Amino acid sequence: MRRPIIAGNWKMNKTIPEALEFVASIKDGLEAIEEVDRVIAPPFVALAPLADLLKDSQVNLAAQNMYSEEEGAYTGEIAPGMLARLCQYVILGHSERRACFGETNEGVNKKVHAALAHDLTPIVCVGENLEQNEAGITDAFVAGQVRAALEGISAAGAERLVIAYEPIWAIGTGRACSPDAAQHVIGTVIRGTLRELFGEGPAEAIRIQYGGSVKTENVADFMREPDIDGALVGGASLRTSWVDLTRRAVRPESGE
Ligand code: PGA
């Protein structure tokens, strides 16, 4: 059985004091929800202070990006080795990085290799835009992104991956994908591609999240789908109701 994973991507929000105050206020609530992996992805500068705050906690941290090289003349970049003691996960290939900062499939693939080499768990983001969705090419496009991101990864490395399916048209729009359509892309397209690449065992072990306008009210509908193992959440991860969202993901009947 795959352990569910709910991750909050803060994007470019919260200063260090705001991050510390917010996490201090939700920490106990999150810690009580033991049946799910709980991950917070703050901006880089908040990672070290939050790692300190969470050092004895089961709540894990993720970076929102990193570079693939070990060190050197790459002004403004962060190397995988710099993240090693600060966080357990790293989000790679988020659509905003692809759209605003020119990230390519090839670059994402290098980052996946680098993250695994440093024992960081990559959360690899894939997803189609509205035009592709309306043109009916979602399945082929997403399968291609998965293949490209995971080129050259071994089956043993693959088992450690998390993949996030985030249709771009659903991100930050309040217009989530239907759970049915997300299950199709995640179960048939993504897990099917993983089966072709790595075989049945790894394909069944890899956790796949849905992302795009997930909130407390709809998270359980996604989690009910057999191949959806969690959520990658933007806007709703910035509020104290984040604890309720996480709880609702694994205890759908909880009214709290
Ligand atoms: P959203 O963002 O939950 O605000 O739609 C999701 C994401 O970009 O990871």
PDB file of all heavy atoms in Angstrom, residues 44 47 63-70 76-84 87 89-93 97 103 107-122:
ATOM      1  N   PHE A  44      13.191  29.158  -0.161  1.00  0.00           N
ATOM      2  CA  PHE A  44      14.516  28.703   0.295  1.00  0.00           C
ATOM      3  C   PHE A  44      14.939  29.281   1.647  1.00  0.00           C
ATOM      4  O   PHE A  44      15.406  28.557   2.514  1.00  0.00           O
ATOM      5  CB  PHE A  44      15.591  29.094  -0.726  1.00  0.00           C
ATOM      6  CG  PHE A  44      15.658  28.195  -1.923  1.00  0.00           C
ATOM      7  CD1 PHE A  44      15.600  28.729  -3.210  1.00  0.00           C
ATOM      8  CD2 PHE A  44      15.828  26.825  -1.785  1.00  0.00           C
ATOM      9  CE1 PHE A  44      15.684  27.909  -4.325  1.00  0.00           C
ATOM     10  CE2 PHE A  44      15.913  25.996  -2.899  1.00  0.00           C
ATOM     11  CZ  PHE A  44      15.838  26.536  -4.175  1.00  0.00           C
ATOM     12  N   LEU A  47      13.825  27.665   4.839  1.00  0.00           N
ATOM     13  CA  LEU A  47      14.090  26.233   5.086  1.00  0.00           C
ATOM     14  C   LEU A  47      14.894  26.013   6.374  1.00  0.00           C
ATOM     15  O   LEU A  47      14.546  25.163   7.187  1.00  0.00           O
ATOM     16  CB  LEU A  47      14.832  25.597   3.910  1.00  0.00           C
ATOM     17  CG  LEU A  47      13.981  25.202   2.697  1.00  0.00           C
ATOM     18  CD1 LEU A  47      14.898  24.749   1.555  1.00  0.00           C
ATOM     19  CD2 LEU A  47      12.978  24.103   3.040  1.00  0.00           C
ATOM     20  N   ALA A  63      12.116  21.721  -0.691  1.00  0.00           N
ATOM     21  CA  ALA A  63      12.498  22.918  -1.420  1.00  0.00           C
ATOM     22  C   ALA A  63      11.579  23.005  -2.641  1.00  0.00           C
ATOM     23  O   ALA A  63      11.024  21.997  -3.076  1.00  0.00           O
ATOM     24  CB  ALA A  63      13.956  22.828  -1.850  1.00  0.00           C
ATOM     25  N   GLN A  64      11.420  24.222  -3.169  1.00  0.00           N
ATOM     26  CA  GLN A  64      10.521  24.390  -4.331  1.00  0.00           C
ATOM     27  C   GLN A  64      11.251  24.221  -5.656  1.00  0.00           C
ATOM     28  O   GLN A  64      10.643  24.228  -6.721  1.00  0.00           O
ATOM     29  CB  GLN A  64       9.886  25.778  -4.291  1.00  0.00           C
ATOM     30  CG  GLN A  64       9.004  26.001  -3.076  1.00  0.00           C
ATOM     31  CD  GLN A  64       8.458  27.412  -3.015  1.00  0.00           C
ATOM     32  OE1 GLN A  64       8.519  28.163  -3.990  1.00  0.00           O
ATOM     33  NE2 GLN A  64       7.929  27.793  -1.875  1.00  0.00           N
ATOM     34  N   ASN A  65      12.574  24.086  -5.580  1.00  0.00           N
ATOM     35  CA  ASN A  65      13.403  23.990  -6.779  1.00  0.00           C
ATOM     36  C   ASN A  65      14.827  23.736  -6.319  1.00  0.00           C
ATOM     37  O   ASN A  65      15.123  23.821  -5.123  1.00  0.00           O
ATOM     38  CB  ASN A  65      13.340  25.312  -7.556  1.00  0.00           C
ATOM     39  CG  ASN A  65      14.210  25.313  -8.794  1.00  0.00           C
ATOM     40  OD1 ASN A  65      14.319  24.302  -9.494  1.00  0.00           O
ATOM     41  ND2 ASN A  65      14.845  26.426  -9.074  1.00  0.00           N
ATOM     42  N   MET A  66      15.715  23.436  -7.223  1.00  0.00           N
ATOM     43  CA  MET A  66      17.162  23.430  -6.973  1.00  0.00           C
ATOM     44  C   MET A  66      17.837  23.350  -8.339  1.00  0.00           C
ATOM     45  O   MET A  66      17.170  23.115  -9.353  1.00  0.00           O
ATOM     46  CB  MET A  66      17.582  22.237  -6.115  1.00  0.00           C
ATOM     47  CG  MET A  66      17.302  20.922  -6.781  1.00  0.00           C
ATOM     48  SD  MET A  66      18.050  19.522  -5.958  1.00  0.00           S
ATOM     49  CE  MET A  66      18.328  18.497  -7.419  1.00  0.00           C
ATOM     50  N   TYR A  67      19.149  23.537  -8.366  1.00  0.00           N
ATOM     51  CA  TYR A  67      19.885  23.349  -9.612  1.00  0.00           C
ATOM     52  C   TYR A  67      20.503  21.959  -9.610  1.00  0.00           C
ATOM     53  O   TYR A  67      20.623  21.323  -8.565  1.00  0.00           O
ATOM     54  CB  TYR A  67      20.956  24.451  -9.767  1.00  0.00           C
ATOM     55  CG  TYR A  67      21.471  24.554 -11.180  1.00  0.00           C
ATOM     56  CD1 TYR A  67      20.591  24.571 -12.256  1.00  0.00           C
ATOM     57  CD2 TYR A  67      22.822  24.625 -11.443  1.00  0.00           C
ATOM     58  CE1 TYR A  67      21.058  24.645 -13.557  1.00  0.00           C
ATOM     59  CE2 TYR A  67      23.310  24.706 -12.742  1.00  0.00           C
ATOM     60  CZ  TYR A  67      22.410  24.701 -13.797  1.00  0.00           C
ATOM     61  OH  TYR A  67      22.862  24.776 -15.082  1.00  0.00           O
ATOM     62  N   SER A  68      20.913  21.493 -10.799  1.00  0.00           N
ATOM     63  CA  SER A  68      21.398  20.116 -10.891  1.00  0.00           C
ATOM     64  C   SER A  68      22.898  19.972 -10.673  1.00  0.00           C
ATOM     65  O   SER A  68      23.388  18.876 -10.443  1.00  0.00           O
ATOM     66  CB  SER A  68      21.024  19.530 -12.251  1.00  0.00           C
ATOM     67  OG  SER A  68      21.356  20.423 -13.280  1.00  0.00           O
ATOM     68  N   GLU A  69      23.646  21.096 -10.731  1.00  0.00           N
ATOM     69  CA  GLU A  69      25.106  20.991 -10.572  1.00  0.00           C
ATOM     70  C   GLU A  69      25.492  20.967  -9.095  1.00  0.00           C
ATOM     71  O   GLU A  69      24.760  21.445  -8.237  1.00  0.00           O
ATOM     72  CB  GLU A  69      25.794  22.162 -11.280  1.00  0.00           C
ATOM     73  CG  GLU A  69      25.622  22.154 -12.796  1.00  0.00           C
ATOM     74  CD  GLU A  69      26.262  20.936 -13.471  1.00  0.00           C
ATOM     75  OE1 GLU A  69      27.348  20.514 -13.021  1.00  0.00           O
ATOM     76  OE2 GLU A  69      25.672  20.400 -14.429  1.00  0.00           O
ATOM     77  N   GLU A  70      26.682  20.437  -8.828  1.00  0.00           N
ATOM     78  CA  GLU A  70      27.147  20.257  -7.441  1.00  0.00           C
ATOM     79  C   GLU A  70      27.573  21.561  -6.774  1.00  0.00           C
ATOM     80  O   GLU A  70      27.363  21.768  -5.579  1.00  0.00           O
ATOM     81  CB  GLU A  70      28.353  19.312  -7.424  1.00  0.00           C
ATOM     82  CG  GLU A  70      28.040  17.887  -7.859  1.00  0.00           C
ATOM     83  CD  GLU A  70      27.191  17.151  -6.838  1.00  0.00           C
ATOM     84  OE1 GLU A  70      27.485  17.247  -5.636  1.00  0.00           O
ATOM     85  OE2 GLU A  70      26.225  16.492  -7.260  1.00  0.00           O
ATOM     86  N   GLY A  76      22.947  32.775  -8.090  1.00  0.00           N
ATOM     87  CA  GLY A  76      21.529  32.727  -7.748  1.00  0.00           C
ATOM     88  C   GLY A  76      20.960  31.333  -7.596  1.00  0.00           C
ATOM     89  O   GLY A  76      19.782  31.192  -7.254  1.00  0.00           O
ATOM     90  N   GLU A  77      21.752  30.313  -7.832  1.00  0.00           N
ATOM     91  CA  GLU A  77      21.215  28.940  -7.771  1.00  0.00           C
ATOM     92  C   GLU A  77      21.564  28.247  -6.447  1.00  0.00           C
ATOM     93  O   GLU A  77      22.466  28.656  -5.724  1.00  0.00           O
ATOM     94  CB  GLU A  77      21.755  28.122  -8.947  1.00  0.00           C
ATOM     95  CG  GLU A  77      21.207  28.557 -10.301  1.00  0.00           C
ATOM     96  CD  GLU A  77      19.698  28.392 -10.414  1.00  0.00           C
ATOM     97  OE1 GLU A  77      19.175  27.356  -9.991  1.00  0.00           O
ATOM     98  OE2 GLU A  77      19.041  29.303 -10.930  1.00  0.00           O
ATOM     99  N   ILE A  78      20.855  27.179  -6.166  1.00  0.00           N
ATOM    100  CA  ILE A  78      21.040  26.382  -4.944  1.00  0.00           C
ATOM    101  C   ILE A  78      21.358  24.946  -5.362  1.00  0.00           C
ATOM    102  O   ILE A  78      20.618  24.355  -6.158  1.00  0.00           O
ATOM    103  CB  ILE A  78      19.732  26.393  -4.097  1.00  0.00           C
ATOM    104  CG1 ILE A  78      19.322  27.818  -3.707  1.00  0.00           C
ATOM    105  CG2 ILE A  78      19.869  25.492  -2.872  1.00  0.00           C
ATOM    106  CD1 ILE A  78      20.145  28.477  -2.634  1.00  0.00           C
ATOM    107  N   ALA A  79      22.431  24.386  -4.816  1.00  0.00           N
ATOM    108  CA  ALA A  79      22.847  23.028  -5.192  1.00  0.00           C
ATOM    109  C   ALA A  79      22.154  21.982  -4.314  1.00  0.00           C
ATOM    110  O   ALA A  79      21.796  22.271  -3.172  1.00  0.00           O
ATOM    111  CB  ALA A  79      24.358  22.900  -5.029  1.00  0.00           C
ATOM    112  N   PRO A  80      22.004  20.751  -4.847  1.00  0.00           N
ATOM    113  CA  PRO A  80      21.364  19.694  -4.058  1.00  0.00           C
ATOM    114  C   PRO A  80      22.046  19.449  -2.712  1.00  0.00           C
ATOM    115  O   PRO A  80      21.368  19.264  -1.700  1.00  0.00           O
ATOM    116  CB  PRO A  80      21.449  18.445  -4.945  1.00  0.00           C
ATOM    117  CG  PRO A  80      22.141  18.840  -6.193  1.00  0.00           C
ATOM    118  CD  PRO A  80      22.326  20.315  -6.211  1.00  0.00           C
ATOM    119  N   GLY A  81      23.362  19.476  -2.700  1.00  0.00           N
ATOM    120  CA  GLY A  81      24.083  19.232  -1.446  1.00  0.00           C
ATOM    121  C   GLY A  81      23.801  20.288  -0.384  1.00  0.00           C
ATOM    122  O   GLY A  81      23.927  20.035   0.808  1.00  0.00           O
ATOM    123  N   MET A  82      23.402  21.485  -0.815  1.00  0.00           N
ATOM    124  CA  MET A  82      23.084  22.556   0.148  1.00  0.00           C
ATOM    125  C   MET A  82      21.747  22.295   0.839  1.00  0.00           C
ATOM    126  O   MET A  82      21.468  22.841   1.900  1.00  0.00           O
ATOM    127  CB  MET A  82      23.010  23.903  -0.581  1.00  0.00           C
ATOM    128  CG  MET A  82      24.324  24.342  -1.178  1.00  0.00           C
ATOM    129  SD  MET A  82      24.064  25.823  -2.183  1.00  0.00           S
ATOM    130  CE  MET A  82      25.703  25.984  -2.905  1.00  0.00           C
ATOM    131  N   LEU A  83      20.913  21.471   0.189  1.00  0.00           N
ATOM    132  CA  LEU A  83      19.580  21.202   0.747  1.00  0.00           C
ATOM    133  C   LEU A  83      19.581  19.981   1.661  1.00  0.00           C
ATOM    134  O   LEU A  83      18.649  19.774   2.434  1.00  0.00           O
ATOM    135  CB  LEU A  83      18.581  20.937  -0.392  1.00  0.00           C
ATOM    136  CG  LEU A  83      18.324  22.105  -1.337  1.00  0.00           C
ATOM    137  CD1 LEU A  83      17.412  21.656  -2.477  1.00  0.00           C
ATOM    138  CD2 LEU A  83      17.690  23.266  -0.577  1.00  0.00           C
ATOM    139  N   ALA A  84      20.662  19.195   1.543  1.00  0.00           N
ATOM    140  CA  ALA A  84      20.630  17.857   2.131  1.00  0.00           C
ATOM    141  C   ALA A  84      20.213  17.798   3.594  1.00  0.00           C
ATOM    142  O   ALA A  84      19.445  16.940   3.967  1.00  0.00           O
ATOM    143  CB  ALA A  84      21.966  17.177   1.920  1.00  0.00           C
ATOM    144  N   CYS A  87      16.059  19.640   4.132  1.00  0.00           N
ATOM    145  CA  CYS A  87      14.751  19.145   3.722  1.00  0.00           C
ATOM    146  C   CYS A  87      14.883  17.726   3.177  1.00  0.00           C
ATOM    147  O   CYS A  87      15.981  17.269   2.875  1.00  0.00           O
ATOM    148  CB  CYS A  87      14.121  20.076   2.679  1.00  0.00           C
ATOM    149  SG  CYS A  87      15.089  20.288   1.184  1.00  0.00           S
ATOM    150  N   TYR A  89      12.524  16.568   0.724  1.00  0.00           N
ATOM    151  CA  TYR A  89      11.904  16.553  -0.613  1.00  0.00           C
ATOM    152  C   TYR A  89      12.339  17.782  -1.411  1.00  0.00           C
ATOM    153  O   TYR A  89      12.750  18.786  -0.847  1.00  0.00           O
ATOM    154  CB  TYR A  89      10.377  16.607  -0.490  1.00  0.00           C
ATOM    155  CG  TYR A  89       9.742  15.423   0.198  1.00  0.00           C
ATOM    156  CD1 TYR A  89       9.628  15.374   1.589  1.00  0.00           C
ATOM    157  CD2 TYR A  89       9.217  14.367  -0.544  1.00  0.00           C
ATOM    158  CE1 TYR A  89       9.022  14.290   2.223  1.00  0.00           C
ATOM    159  CE2 TYR A  89       8.606  13.285   0.084  1.00  0.00           C
ATOM    160  CZ  TYR A  89       8.514  13.258   1.460  1.00  0.00           C
ATOM    161  OH  TYR A  89       7.913  12.183   2.081  1.00  0.00           O
ATOM    162  N   VAL A  90      12.178  17.685  -2.740  1.00  0.00           N
ATOM    163  CA  VAL A  90      12.362  18.863  -3.574  1.00  0.00           C
ATOM    164  C   VAL A  90      11.359  18.806  -4.739  1.00  0.00           C
ATOM    165  O   VAL A  90      11.235  17.776  -5.402  1.00  0.00           O
ATOM    166  CB  VAL A  90      13.824  18.987  -4.066  1.00  0.00           C
ATOM    167  CG1 VAL A  90      14.301  17.762  -4.832  1.00  0.00           C
ATOM    168  CG2 VAL A  90      14.018  20.241  -4.918  1.00  0.00           C
ATOM    169  N   ILE A  91      10.607  19.885  -4.898  1.00  0.00           N
ATOM    170  CA  ILE A  91       9.662  19.975  -6.015  1.00  0.00           C
ATOM    171  C   ILE A  91      10.461  20.295  -7.275  1.00  0.00           C
ATOM    172  O   ILE A  91      11.274  21.222  -7.268  1.00  0.00           O
ATOM    173  CB  ILE A  91       8.615  21.090  -5.753  1.00  0.00           C
ATOM    174  CG1 ILE A  91       7.796  20.781  -4.491  1.00  0.00           C
ATOM    175  CG2 ILE A  91       7.694  21.273  -6.964  1.00  0.00           C
ATOM    176  CD1 ILE A  91       6.870  21.932  -4.056  1.00  0.00           C
ATOM    177  N   LEU A  92      10.259  19.547  -8.323  1.00  0.00           N
ATOM    178  CA  LEU A  92      11.007  19.772  -9.568  1.00  0.00           C
ATOM    179  C   LEU A  92      10.059  19.908 -10.753  1.00  0.00           C
ATOM    180  O   LEU A  92       9.072  19.163 -10.861  1.00  0.00           O
ATOM    181  CB  LEU A  92      11.977  18.601  -9.816  1.00  0.00           C
ATOM    182  CG  LEU A  92      13.085  18.427  -8.763  1.00  0.00           C
ATOM    183  CD1 LEU A  92      13.934  17.190  -9.076  1.00  0.00           C
ATOM    184  CD2 LEU A  92      13.975  19.659  -8.674  1.00  0.00           C
ATOM    185  N   GLY A  93      10.357  20.869 -11.621  1.00  0.00           N
ATOM    186  CA  GLY A  93       9.586  21.015 -12.852  1.00  0.00           C
ATOM    187  C   GLY A  93       8.178  21.544 -12.666  1.00  0.00           C
ATOM    188  O   GLY A  93       7.295  21.274 -13.494  1.00  0.00           O
ATOM    189  N   ARG A  97       7.755  27.173 -12.950  1.00  0.00           N
ATOM    190  CA  ARG A  97       9.189  27.216 -13.286  1.00  0.00           C
ATOM    191  C   ARG A  97       9.368  26.989 -14.788  1.00  0.00           C
ATOM    192  O   ARG A  97      10.209  27.611 -15.415  1.00  0.00           O
ATOM    193  CB  ARG A  97       9.966  26.171 -12.488  1.00  0.00           C
ATOM    194  CG  ARG A  97       9.902  26.436 -10.993  1.00  0.00           C
ATOM    195  CD  ARG A  97      11.242  26.381 -10.321  1.00  0.00           C
ATOM    196  NE  ARG A  97      12.301  26.982 -11.076  1.00  0.00           N
ATOM    197  CZ  ARG A  97      12.785  28.221 -10.874  1.00  0.00           C
ATOM    198  NH1 ARG A  97      12.250  29.005  -9.955  1.00  0.00           N
ATOM    199  NH2 ARG A  97      13.783  28.656 -11.590  1.00  0.00           N
ATOM    200  N   GLU A 103      12.281  26.432 -17.729  1.00  0.00           N
ATOM    201  CA  GLU A 103      12.764  25.065 -17.449  1.00  0.00           C
ATOM    202  C   GLU A 103      12.305  24.103 -18.526  1.00  0.00           C
ATOM    203  O   GLU A 103      11.159  24.148 -18.973  1.00  0.00           O
ATOM    204  CB  GLU A 103      12.237  24.581 -16.093  1.00  0.00           C
ATOM    205  CG  GLU A 103      12.908  25.289 -14.966  1.00  0.00           C
ATOM    206  CD  GLU A 103      13.066  24.416 -13.722  1.00  0.00           C
ATOM    207  OE1 GLU A 103      12.736  23.211 -13.748  1.00  0.00           O
ATOM    208  OE2 GLU A 103      13.523  24.971 -12.723  1.00  0.00           O
ATOM    209  N   GLY A 107      16.287  19.737 -18.500  1.00  0.00           N
ATOM    210  CA  GLY A 107      16.772  20.304 -17.234  1.00  0.00           C
ATOM    211  C   GLY A 107      16.131  19.605 -16.042  1.00  0.00           C
ATOM    212  O   GLY A 107      16.796  19.326 -15.039  1.00  0.00           O
ATOM    213  N   VAL A 108      14.838  19.330 -16.153  1.00  0.00           N
ATOM    214  CA  VAL A 108      14.138  18.642 -15.059  1.00  0.00           C
ATOM    215  C   VAL A 108      14.739  17.250 -14.867  1.00  0.00           C
ATOM    216  O   VAL A 108      14.980  16.811 -13.731  1.00  0.00           O
ATOM    217  CB  VAL A 108      12.617  18.564 -15.342  1.00  0.00           C
ATOM    218  CG1 VAL A 108      11.901  17.714 -14.292  1.00  0.00           C
ATOM    219  CG2 VAL A 108      12.005  19.962 -15.403  1.00  0.00           C
ATOM    220  N   ASN A 109      15.035  16.569 -15.946  1.00  0.00           N
ATOM    221  CA  ASN A 109      15.637  15.231 -15.871  1.00  0.00           C
ATOM    222  C   ASN A 109      16.983  15.276 -15.127  1.00  0.00           C
ATOM    223  O   ASN A 109      17.254  14.442 -14.251  1.00  0.00           O
ATOM    224  CB  ASN A 109      15.807  14.667 -17.286  1.00  0.00           C
ATOM    225  CG  ASN A 109      16.491  13.317 -17.295  1.00  0.00           C
ATOM    226  OD1 ASN A 109      17.589  13.167 -17.821  1.00  0.00           O
ATOM    227  ND2 ASN A 109      15.869  12.322 -16.689  1.00  0.00           N
ATOM    228  N   LYS A 110      17.797  16.269 -15.427  1.00  0.00           N
ATOM    229  CA  LYS A 110      19.095  16.389 -14.725  1.00  0.00           C
ATOM    230  C   LYS A 110      18.867  16.603 -13.231  1.00  0.00           C
ATOM    231  O   LYS A 110      19.586  16.073 -12.394  1.00  0.00           O
ATOM    232  CB  LYS A 110      19.887  17.577 -15.279  1.00  0.00           C
ATOM    233  CG  LYS A 110      20.515  17.309 -16.633  1.00  0.00           C
ATOM    234  CD  LYS A 110      21.436  18.455 -17.014  1.00  0.00           C
ATOM    235  CE  LYS A 110      22.008  18.221 -18.399  1.00  0.00           C
ATOM    236  NZ  LYS A 110      22.306  19.473 -19.099  1.00  0.00           N
ATOM    237  N   LYS A 111      17.870  17.405 -12.917  1.00  0.00           N
ATOM    238  CA  LYS A 111      17.580  17.685 -11.507  1.00  0.00           C
ATOM    239  C   LYS A 111      17.078  16.432 -10.784  1.00  0.00           C
ATOM    240  O   LYS A 111      17.403  16.209  -9.619  1.00  0.00           O
ATOM    241  CB  LYS A 111      16.556  18.816 -11.396  1.00  0.00           C
ATOM    242  CG  LYS A 111      17.104  20.162 -11.855  1.00  0.00           C
ATOM    243  CD  LYS A 111      16.067  21.270 -11.724  1.00  0.00           C
ATOM    244  CE  LYS A 111      16.672  22.599 -12.186  1.00  0.00           C
ATOM    245  NZ  LYS A 111      15.801  23.739 -11.861  1.00  0.00           N
ATOM    246  N   VAL A 112      16.285  15.603 -11.475  1.00  0.00           N
ATOM    247  CA  VAL A 112      15.795  14.369 -10.846  1.00  0.00           C
ATOM    248  C   VAL A 112      16.983  13.458 -10.507  1.00  0.00           C
ATOM    249  O   VAL A 112      17.078  12.927  -9.395  1.00  0.00           O
ATOM    250  CB  VAL A 112      14.772  13.636 -11.754  1.00  0.00           C
ATOM    251  CG1 VAL A 112      14.377  12.292 -11.152  1.00  0.00           C
ATOM    252  CG2 VAL A 112      13.525  14.498 -11.968  1.00  0.00           C
ATOM    253  N   HIS A 113      17.915  13.316 -11.449  1.00  0.00           N
ATOM    254  CA  HIS A 113      19.120  12.510 -11.180  1.00  0.00           C
ATOM    255  C   HIS A 113      19.888  13.074  -9.983  1.00  0.00           C
ATOM    256  O   HIS A 113      20.312  12.325  -9.097  1.00  0.00           O
ATOM    257  CB  HIS A 113      20.035  12.501 -12.418  1.00  0.00           C
ATOM    258  CG  HIS A 113      19.594  11.534 -13.475  1.00  0.00           C
ATOM    259  ND1 HIS A 113      19.958  10.209 -13.465  1.00  0.00           N
ATOM    260  CD2 HIS A 113      18.809  11.691 -14.565  1.00  0.00           C
ATOM    261  CE1 HIS A 113      19.426   9.592 -14.506  1.00  0.00           C
ATOM    262  NE2 HIS A 113      18.720  10.473 -15.193  1.00  0.00           N
ATOM    263  N   ALA A 114      20.073  14.393  -9.978  1.00  0.00           N
ATOM    264  CA  ALA A 114      20.860  15.027  -8.913  1.00  0.00           C
ATOM    265  C   ALA A 114      20.172  14.870  -7.555  1.00  0.00           C
ATOM    266  O   ALA A 114      20.815  14.589  -6.539  1.00  0.00           O
ATOM    267  CB  ALA A 114      21.076  16.506  -9.236  1.00  0.00           C
ATOM    268  N   ALA A 115      18.862  15.032  -7.527  1.00  0.00           N
ATOM    269  CA  ALA A 115      18.130  14.914  -6.259  1.00  0.00           C
ATOM    270  C   ALA A 115      18.277  13.498  -5.693  1.00  0.00           C
ATOM    271  O   ALA A 115      18.594  13.312  -4.507  1.00  0.00           O
ATOM    272  CB  ALA A 115      16.654  15.251  -6.468  1.00  0.00           C
ATOM    273  N   LEU A 116      18.081  12.500  -6.542  1.00  0.00           N
ATOM    274  CA  LEU A 116      18.176  11.110  -6.067  1.00  0.00           C
ATOM    275  C   LEU A 116      19.588  10.816  -5.567  1.00  0.00           C
ATOM    276  O   LEU A 116      19.767  10.125  -4.559  1.00  0.00           O
ATOM    277  CB  LEU A 116      17.775  10.132  -7.178  1.00  0.00           C
ATOM    278  CG  LEU A 116      16.288  10.136  -7.540  1.00  0.00           C
ATOM    279  CD1 LEU A 116      16.042   9.283  -8.778  1.00  0.00           C
ATOM    280  CD2 LEU A 116      15.423   9.638  -6.372  1.00  0.00           C
ATOM    281  N   ALA A 117      20.590  11.364  -6.258  1.00  0.00           N
ATOM    282  CA  ALA A 117      21.980  11.126  -5.846  1.00  0.00           C
ATOM    283  C   ALA A 117      22.259  11.724  -4.469  1.00  0.00           C
ATOM    284  O   ALA A 117      23.181  11.299  -3.777  1.00  0.00           O
ATOM    285  CB  ALA A 117      22.936  11.722  -6.878  1.00  0.00           C
ATOM    286  N   HIS A 118      21.460  12.721  -4.072  1.00  0.00           N
ATOM    287  CA  HIS A 118      21.658  13.360  -2.767  1.00  0.00           C
ATOM    288  C   HIS A 118      20.595  12.929  -1.753  1.00  0.00           C
ATOM    289  O   HIS A 118      20.400  13.605  -0.736  1.00  0.00           O
ATOM    290  CB  HIS A 118      21.661  14.880  -2.928  1.00  0.00           C
ATOM    291  CG  HIS A 118      22.945  15.390  -3.496  1.00  0.00           C
ATOM    292  ND1 HIS A 118      24.001  15.796  -2.722  1.00  0.00           N
ATOM    293  CD2 HIS A 118      23.362  15.498  -4.778  1.00  0.00           C
ATOM    294  CE1 HIS A 118      25.011  16.166  -3.493  1.00  0.00           C
ATOM    295  NE2 HIS A 118      24.644  15.993  -4.749  1.00  0.00           N
ATOM    296  N   ASP A 119      19.916  11.825  -2.045  1.00  0.00           N
ATOM    297  CA  ASP A 119      18.894  11.311  -1.128  1.00  0.00           C
ATOM    298  C   ASP A 119      17.768  12.289  -0.844  1.00  0.00           C
ATOM    299  O   ASP A 119      17.184  12.282   0.233  1.00  0.00           O
ATOM    300  CB  ASP A 119      19.523  10.859   0.204  1.00  0.00           C
ATOM    301  CG  ASP A 119      20.091   9.467   0.060  1.00  0.00           C
ATOM    302  OD1 ASP A 119      19.575   8.715  -0.790  1.00  0.00           O
ATOM    303  OD2 ASP A 119      21.067   9.152   0.772  1.00  0.00           O
ATOM    304  N   LEU A 120      17.498  13.144  -1.819  1.00  0.00           N
ATOM    305  CA  LEU A 120      16.312  14.000  -1.725  1.00  0.00           C
ATOM    306  C   LEU A 120      15.214  13.325  -2.538  1.00  0.00           C
ATOM    307  O   LEU A 120      15.487  12.780  -3.614  1.00  0.00           O
ATOM    308  CB  LEU A 120      16.600  15.371  -2.331  1.00  0.00           C
ATOM    309  CG  LEU A 120      17.546  16.275  -1.542  1.00  0.00           C
ATOM    310  CD1 LEU A 120      18.114  17.371  -2.448  1.00  0.00           C
ATOM    311  CD2 LEU A 120      16.813  16.894  -0.352  1.00  0.00           C
ATOM    312  N   THR A 121      13.999  13.345  -2.046  1.00  0.00           N
ATOM    313  CA  THR A 121      12.892  12.751  -2.791  1.00  0.00           C
ATOM    314  C   THR A 121      12.319  13.796  -3.733  1.00  0.00           C
ATOM    315  O   THR A 121      11.788  14.813  -3.280  1.00  0.00           O
ATOM    316  CB  THR A 121      11.788  12.268  -1.836  1.00  0.00           C
ATOM    317  OG1 THR A 121      12.346  11.257  -0.999  1.00  0.00           O
ATOM    318  CG2 THR A 121      10.599  11.708  -2.597  1.00  0.00           C
ATOM    319  N   PRO A 122      12.423  13.566  -5.047  1.00  0.00           N
ATOM    320  CA  PRO A 122      11.864  14.556  -5.972  1.00  0.00           C
ATOM    321  C   PRO A 122      10.338  14.450  -6.048  1.00  0.00           C
ATOM    322  O   PRO A 122       9.797  13.339  -6.055  1.00  0.00           O
ATOM    323  CB  PRO A 122      12.467  14.170  -7.331  1.00  0.00           C
ATOM    324  CG  PRO A 122      13.412  13.051  -7.082  1.00  0.00           C
ATOM    325  CD  PRO A 122      13.076  12.463  -5.746  1.00  0.00           C
TER     326      PRO A 122
END
